[in-house]
Amino acid sequence: MATFMDVHTGMKGITSEQLMAAHKADLAIEKEEGVHFKQAWADPESGTVYCLSEGPSADAVRRIHERTGHPADSILPVPVMVS
Amino acid sequence: MATFMDVHTGMKGITSEQLMAAHKADLAIEKEEGVHFKQAWADPESGTVYCLSEGPSADAVRRIHERTGHPADSILPVPVMVS
C-alpha cells in the first residue's frame, strides 16, 4: 500500500456538506479498488481540494474519484512523510 | 487559528531525513509566529512537498518557511475539511 495526495481544482464555493458528501461517495466504493480516503481539505475561495489516501496505485485512486464524479487534477505518491 | 496547506516544488530526491530536518527547523521557530506545522508529505520523484499547518495567517506560515530556507510555492487556507 502506498500513500497519495491528490489535488482537485475548480471547486469554488465548496461547503463542508459538499466535501463530506463527495468524501462519503468515495468511501462507499473505495474498497472495490483497495483504496482508502483518509483526509481531505478544501479552500472554497480558490476551489482547491487536497485528498490524502492509501491504495495500491495512483490509477486506483484516480478511478474511484472519476466514478464518483470528481476527477483529480493530479495524484502524486507521497512515500516520505512526517506527522 | 486557521488551517493551511502549502506546497513546495523543486525538492527532487528529498529523503525522509531531509524532510524531518526541514520539519524540525520549522518547529524550532514556529511559535514566534503562532504557527504549528502538523504534517508533511513528499514525493521525491516530482520534488513536491505538501505541508499542513495551523496559524493566524498564510503570511505567518510563509515567514516561517522562508526563514528556514524552504519557501512555499503556494499557501492556501483550508477551512473546510473531513478526516
Side-chain angles (χ1 to χ4, degrees):
Chain A
M1 292 284 273
T3 302
F4 299 91
M5 184 73 82
D6 66 72
V7 183
H8 306 252
T9 58
M11 304 187 80
K12 285 191 183 182
I14 187 169
T15 64
S16 292
E17 291 71 22
Q18 288 169 331
L19 183 66
M20 181 58 75
H23 186 62
K24 284 185 177 174
D26 289 331
L27 294 183
I29 63 168
E30 64 181 14
K31 285 189 178 59
E32 295 174 26
E33 295 277 2
V35 169
H36 177 51
F37 288 94
K38 300 175 70 178
Q39 291 175 270
W41 301 267
D43 171 26
E45 192 171 325
S46 66
T48 308
V49 178
Y50 300 95
C51 294
L52 185 72
S53 64
E54 289 180 341
S57 69
D59 278 344
V61 175
R62 185 183 314 279
R63 285 191 290 268
I64 296 296
H65 273 334
E66 283 177 354
R67 288 174 57 195
T68 53
H70 41 265
D73 289 76
S74 72
I75 303 176
L76 292 179
V78 284
V80 175
M81 66 191 82
V82 295
S83 59
Chain B
M1 292 284 275
T3 303
F4 299 91
M5 183 74 82
D6 65 73
V7 184
H8 305 252
T9 58
M11 303 189 80
K12 284 192 182 181
I14 187 168
T15 65
S16 291
E17 291 72 20
Q18 289 169 330
L19 183 65
M20 181 58 75
H23 185 61
K24 284 185 177 174
D26 289 331
L27 294 183
I29 63 168
E30 66 182 14
K31 284 189 179 61
E32 296 174 26
E33 294 278 2
V35 169
H36 178 52
F37 289 95
K38 300 176 71 177
Q39 292 175 269
W41 301 267
D43 171 26
E45 192 171 324
S46 66
T48 308
V49 178
Y50 299 96
C51 295
L52 185 73
S53 64
E54 289 180 340
S57 68
D59 278 343
V61 174
R62 185 183 314 278
R63 285 191 289 267
I64 296 296
H65 273 334
E66 283 178 354
R67 287 175 55 194
T68 54
H70 40 267
D73 289 75
S74 72
I75 304 175
L76 291 179
V78 284
V80 174
M81 65 191 83
V82 293
S83 58

